[in-house]
Amino acid sequence: MAAKTTLTEIARHLDVNVGTVSRVLNDKAAQGRISDELAERVRRAARKLGYVPNASARATRTGHFNCAALLLSTIAGRSYLPHGLLDGLHDGLARHNLHLTIAKVPDSELNNPEYLPKFLRTLMADGLLINYTNNLPPHLVEAARHGRIPAVWINTIRPADCVYTDSRAAAVRATEHLINLGHRRIAYLDAGWIRDSNGELHYSVGDRLAGYRQAMNAAGMAPIELRYEIGKLSFNDEIQRARAWIRQHNRPTALLCYWHNALAGLVRAAWLEGLRLPRDLSIATFGGEAARGSALRVSTMVEPEYEVGRHATEVLLRKMAKPRSKQPPRVLGFAWHDQGTCVPPNG
Amino acid sequence: MAAKTTLTEIARHLDVNVGTVSRVLNDKAAQGRISDELAERVRRAARKLGYVPNASARATRTGHFNCAALLLSTIAGRSYLPHGLLDGLHDGLARHNLHLTIAKVPDSELNNPEYLPKFLRTLMADGLLINYTNNLPPHLVEAARHGRIPAVWINTIRPADCVYTDSRAAAVRATEHLINLGHRRIAYLDAGWIRDSNGELHYSVGDRLAGYRQAMNAAGMAPIELRYEIGKLSFNDEIQRARAWIRQHNRPTALLCYWHNALAGLVRAAWLEGLRLPRDLSIATFGGEAARGSALRVSTMVEPEYEVGRHATEVLLRKMAKPRSKQPPRVLGFAWHDQGTCVPPNG
DNA sequence: ATGAAAGCGCTAACAA
DNA sequence: TTGTTAGCGCTTTCAT
C-alpha cells in the first residue's frame, strides 16, 4: 500500500513549514498573506504527490466531523429510504461539504432492545436526520434524543425541528378533484398497516382519512370507507375482500387510496369483476415519487420526497449552527400527478 | 453544548491514567491485566459521565476509518440503490463494525466532468463499494481505480473483485419454464435503455437476451423480440407500440420481460386489446426484490439484492485484509417468485 | 510572509 | 498491574 501523502511530507519536500502548506491548501491565506509563488509551488507539489487530506485528523483537530447521520425506519426488517429522499438529503449536505452516513438496525439485531447503531455508540456525526416514518424502535428514539446532537425529524409532526408533508390538505384536494369531476359516490381505501413499534399509526393514516371525510362532508356526501390491513392478508385474500366490497356497496364510481401499493388487489379485483378502468371506476392515490414511473400508472398525490430531503438538511444546518434553537416545522405540499385514471363518472 | 466526555476526563475523575482507561474500555486488558476492581470503576465512570469514543481521534491514531463508502450509479439524475442492496451492505458491514457512507454525484454537478464525491477528495474510507449498474461517470470510475483504496464492484462483470448476478442462466430458466408450460410462441420484451455514460449497455441486457435465445433455439422455437427504448417514449406511445405489436405478430402466448417496470405499457395495451391475463398471455419478468410487493404482480426472476450486498461486503473485507489480492468474482443466481401470471396457453 | 509549536483525543510501545 | 510518553495528521495561535 503506497503510503498516503501527508501535509508534513509536502512541507519536507518543499522545505517549508507544515503550517504554510496547510494554509495554502485551505485558502486560509487570509491571515499572513502567502506569496503567490510559494502558494503555487505548494499546490503543484500537492497535486504531484497526490495529496488527499485526512478527514479524521482534520476532525480531531477542529472538533467537527462534517458528517450527518441518517437513522432509518424499517419496514418488515427492511430499511425505508425512498430514492428521492436520499437524493435530497445527499444533495443538500453535499452543498455544505457534509457527507452522509447511514444507519439502521441490522436484521440480526431487530429483536435486541439494547442495540445501538454505530453512530450512537461513537462520536462521528455533527447532526442527526431521523426518518421516523414508522417502526423506529423506541429505545433508539430515546438514545437519539439523549445524544445531545442536533437532530431533525423527517416525516413526523413535532412542535419543532421537523419536516413533514400535509397529508390532510392533500386528501382534501384529491377528494375535491373527484367531486368536481362529477362523482358522488367516492370511496376511500385505507391501509392502516403502518404502525410504529408502539403499535401506533403514522400520522398520515389519520390525516388523510380526515381530509377525505372533511371534503365529503363539505360537499354533503356520505363517506364510504374500505379498510383492511394489507400486510396481514395474502394477495388472494386481498383480492377477495376487494371483490366482495365492489359488489356489496352499490359500487362507488371513484376511489381514493392511502398508498399506491395498496391498490394491487383492488385493481385486480376490478378486473375480475369486469369493471373498465377508469370509465367504471376512477382511481386516485397517494404515492412516492417512484409511483410516477411505476407499473401501475394511477393519478397520484405525490409525496415530495426530494424536497423533504432538501428541507431537512436546511433545518439541520440551522440546528447545527444554533444547537439550542428550535427550528419551526416545515410543512410541504404534495404534487398532483395526473395519469389519466380520474375521469367523470361513466365516461 | 455540554462538553463531550473524553478519556482524559475519566482518567482525571478517577485519578488514574488515560492509558489505563483506554485499555479497560477497549478490552485491551490482554497485556498487563487490569484489576477487576479498577476496570469496574472505570466502566462505571464512563457510563456515568456519558463517555462516547471519538471516532476521528481513534482513526487518526490507528490509521483506519472503519468506514466503507458506497459510490452510487444514477438513473436520470436519481441515485440507484435498491433497498435490499442497502440492507445487505449495511448488515454485512455492521457485523464488522464498519459504517457505511454514501455518495453520488449531486444533481447540480451532473454536468461537471470534474466533480468528485467527497470520499474521493478526502481520506475517510477504508474500502469502496462501487455500484456500477449503469451511468457512473467514467472519470469517477477512473478516480476510484486510482484511489488505491480496496474496491469491490457491484453489478458488473470483471476478472476479479466483483459481485454480479447470472442473468443469462436466469433467462434460460424462465424461458424453459414457459416452454414447459406448453408455450410455443414466446416473446421477449427488451428494454435496452440502460446505457452507461459511454453509451454502452449493461451486461444484463445482452445476457438476458442471449439466455432467452439459447433456450428458444434449444427447443427449436423461433425467438420473437420486441424492443423499444422505454425512457424515450411517452406512456401513450409505449402503449401504442405495444398494441401494434400485439396485433401484428400472430400474438405470442407468453412473454418474458427484461425488467418489470417495462411492463406497464404492455399490460395496459393487453387490457385495451381485450386480452385476458394470464389466460391469453402469460407474463414473466426480471425484477428487484421490491417487485414482490409491487402493484403489478407478475411472476418474477428476482434479483437477490440483499445477497449481492452481503457478498460484496465479504469480498471487500477480504480485499481490505489483503489489498493486493485479487478476489474471485461472486456470481449469484436469481430466485423465482411465482405470482400466478404464467399458465399453460389458453388455460 | 513564513516558521515554530502546541494540542485535538486517542492508542500503544515502553517503563516501572 | 499501572503509569509515562510519543505521536497519528492536522489547524491555529503566536512569534518573527
Side-chain angles (χ1 to χ4, degrees):
Chain A
M1 191 127 64
K4 300 294 179 191
T5 314
T6 68
L7 281 189
T8 322
E9 281 178 62
I10 300 182
R12 249 203 308 268
H13 187 97
L14 295 176
D15 202 37
V16 296
N17 188 275
V18 229
T20 309
V21 178
S22 170
R23 271 170 291 200
V24 171
L25 263 24
N26 292 303
D27 286 323
K28 284 275 165 52
Q31 270 165 320
R33 299 192 54 71
I34 284 164
S35 72
D36 290 351
E37 186 260 330
L38 212 201
E40 193 45 40
R41 270 170 59 215
V42 168
R43 271 188 285 267
R44 218 191 301 281
R47 203 162 320 147
K48 183 178 139 209
L49 299 178
Y51 172 71
V52 177
N54 182 315
S56 292
R58 185 174 280 172
T60 16
R61 184 60 237 250
T62 62
H64 55 258
F65 306 93
N66 285 326
C67 169
L70 175 63
L71 183 53
L72 288 179
S73 301
T74 55
I75 293 182
R78 289 297 159 90
S79 56
Y80 178 67
L81 178 59
H83 290 175
L85 180 58
L86 171 63
D87 288 346
L89 294 173
H90 182 280
D91 290 2
L93 294 173
R95 216 164 266 262
H96 298 267
N97 202 34
L98 296 184
H99 62 266
L100 179 65
T101 274
I102 283 198
K104 55 156 206 146
V105 181
D107 288 0
S108 56
E109 305 287 352
L110 271 180
N111 295 317
N112 175 0
E114 304 270 289
Y115 179 85
L116 287 185
K118 186 175 171 189
F119 67 68
L120 292 177
R121 278 174 290 139
T122 304
L123 243 39
M124 50 178 286
D126 307 306
L128 212 51
L129 296 155
I130 303 179
N131 182 19
Y132 192 49
T133 312
N134 52 10
N135 285 326
L136 207 50
H139 76 279
L140 284 195
V141 176
E142 206 42 42
R145 215 190 307 264
H146 281 13
R148 305 190 154 276
I149 146 174
V152 170
W153 299 69
I154 297 170
N155 255 315
T156 187
I157 300 181
R158 308 177 83 243
D161 308 330
C162 64
V163 179
Y164 62 91
T165 49
D166 192 343
S167 271
R168 179 165 184 147
V172 169
R173 251 173 86 203
T175 309
E176 285 176 347
H177 178 64
L178 292 167
I179 292 172
N180 290 337
L181 282 172
H183 292 277
R184 298 201 51 81
R185 292 196 308 286
I186 304 170
Y188 179 77
L189 173 54
D190 203 343
W193 77 104
I194 301 197
R195 294 174 182 277
D196 64 23
S197 312
N198 298 321
E200 283 168 35
L201 292 171
H202 188 252
Y203 78 91
S204 60
V205 175
D207 279 16
R208 285 179 202 163
L209 179 58
Y212 159 77
R213 285 177 177 164
Q214 176 185 327
M216 291 296 279
N217 289 335
M221 298 173 185
I224 307 168
E225 294 165 19
L226 172 56
R227 186 170 295 126
Y228 42 64
E229 304 232 348
I230 289 214
K232 295 181 180 168
L233 297 180
S234 74
F235 189 43
N236 274 334
D237 289 347
E238 200 183 317
I239 294 171
Q240 294 317 319
R241 288 287 287 271
R243 291 184 78 162
W245 177 80
I246 285 175
R247 295 205 210 95
Q248 178 181 0
H249 272 79
N250 177 26
R251 191 180 71 250
T253 59
L255 179 90
L256 177 61
C257 178
Y258 170 79
W259 192 253
H260 89 289
N261 70 343
L263 279 171
L266 191 118
V267 168
R268 185 69 60 92
W271 223 348
L272 294 169
E273 290 293 325
L275 300 197
R276 309 223 21 172
L277 305 183
R279 212 197 53 184
D280 299 330
L281 184 65
S282 284
I283 301 184
T285 186
F286 286 82
E289 290 174 345
R292 288 172 183 274
S294 93
L296 199 74
R297 308 252 183 162
V298 172
S299 294
T300 302
M301 274 293 172
V302 178
E303 192 149 359
E305 293 153 354
Y306 187 87
E307 284 306 311
V308 169
R310 288 303 307 273
H311 279 268
T313 59
E314 274 187 41
V315 177
L316 184 61
L317 283 157
R318 288 174 193 229
K319 280 289 279 187
M320 283 166 48
K322 286 186 167 190
R324 313 207 69 86
S325 69
K326 297 277 179 204
Q327 297 297 323
R330 306 254 181 135
V331 188
L332 306 185
F334 285 71
W336 174 247
H337 183 52
D338 194 317
Q339 300 207 85
T341 60
C342 295
V343 299
N346 303 315
Chain B
M1 193 129 59
K4 300 292 178 194
T5 315
T6 68
L7 281 190
T8 322
E9 282 177 60
I10 300 182
R12 249 202 310 267
H13 187 93
L14 296 178
D15 202 41
V16 295
N17 189 274
V18 230
T20 308
V21 179
S22 170
R23 270 168 293 196
V24 171
L25 263 25
N26 291 302
D27 286 323
K28 283 276 165 51
Q31 271 166 322
R33 300 192 52 73
I34 285 164
S35 72
D36 289 351
E37 185 260 329
L38 213 200
E40 194 44 40
R41 270 171 58 216
V42 168
R43 272 187 285 266
R44 219 191 299 281
R47 204 162 318 146
K48 181 178 141 209
L49 299 178
Y51 172 71
V52 177
N54 182 314
S56 293
R58 186 175 279 172
T60 18
R61 183 62 237 248
T62 62
H64 54 258
F65 305 94
N66 284 326
C67 167
L70 175 63
L71 182 53
L72 288 179
S73 301
T74 55
I75 292 181
R78 289 297 158 89
S79 57
Y80 178 67
L81 178 59
H83 290 176
L85 180 58
L86 172 62
D87 290 345
L89 293 173
H90 182 279
D91 291 1
L93 293 173
R95 215 164 267 261
H96 298 267
N97 200 33
L98 296 183
H99 62 265
L100 180 63
T101 275
I102 283 199
K104 55 158 207 143
V105 180
D107 287 2
S108 56
E109 304 288 350
L110 272 180
N111 294 317
N112 175 1
E114 305 269 292
Y115 179 84
L116 286 186
K118 186 174 171 190
F119 66 68
L120 292 176
R121 277 175 290 140
T122 304
L123 243 39
M124 49 177 288
D126 307 306
L128 212 50
L129 296 155
I130 303 178
N131 181 18
Y132 192 48
T133 314
N134 53 11
N135 284 329
L136 207 51
H139 76 280
L140 283 195
V141 177
E142 206 44 41
R145 216 192 308 263
H146 281 14
R148 304 189 153 279
I149 147 174
V152 170
W153 299 69
I154 297 171
N155 254 317
T156 186
I157 300 180
R158 308 178 82 244
D161 308 329
C162 63
V163 179
Y164 61 92
T165 48
D166 193 343
S167 272
R168 180 166 184 149
V172 168
R173 251 173 86 204
T175 309
E176 284 176 348
H177 178 65
L178 292 168
I179 292 172
N180 291 337
L181 283 172
H183 293 278
R184 300 201 49 78
R185 291 197 310 286
I186 303 169
Y188 180 78
L189 173 55
D190 203 342
W193 76 101
I194 300 196
R195 294 173 182 278
D196 65 23
S197 311
N198 298 319
E200 281 167 36
L201 293 171
H202 188 252
Y203 79 91
S204 61
V205 175
D207 279 15
R208 286 179 202 164
L209 179 57
Y212 160 76
R213 285 177 176 165
Q214 175 185 326
M216 290 297 277
N217 289 335
M221 298 173 184
I224 307 169
E225 294 165 20
L226 171 55
R227 185 172 295 125
Y228 43 64
E229 304 233 350
I230 289 213
K232 295 182 180 166
L233 297 180
S234 74
F235 189 45
N236 273 334
D237 288 348
E238 201 183 315
I239 294 171
Q240 294 317 318
R241 287 287 288 273
R243 292 184 77 161
W245 176 81
I246 286 174
R247 297 205 210 94
Q248 180 181 358
H249 272 78
N250 178 27
R251 192 180 67 250
T253 59
L255 178 89
L256 176 61
C257 178
Y258 171 78
W259 192 253
H260 89 288
N261 70 344
L263 280 172
L266 190 119
V267 168
R268 184 68 60 95
W271 222 351
L272 295 169
E273 291 293 324
L275 299 198
R276 311 226 16 174
L277 304 184
R279 210 197 56 183
D280 298 331
L281 183 65
S282 284
I283 301 185
T285 186
F286 287 82
E289 288 174 348
R292 287 171 184 273
S294 94
L296 198 75
R297 310 253 182 159
V298 172
S299 295
T300 303
M301 275 292 172
V302 179
E303 193 147 357
E305 291 152 354
Y306 187 86
E307 284 305 311
V308 168
R310 289 302 308 270
H311 279 267
T313 59
E314 274 187 39
V315 177
L316 184 61
L317 283 157
R318 288 173 193 229
K319 279 291 280 188
M320 282 166 47
K322 287 186 165 192
R324 314 206 68 87
S325 70
K326 297 278 179 202
Q327 297 298 324
R330 307 255 181 134
V331 188
L332 306 185
F334 286 70
W336 175 245
H337 183 52
D338 194 316
Q339 301 206 83
T341 60
C342 296
V343 298
N346 304 314

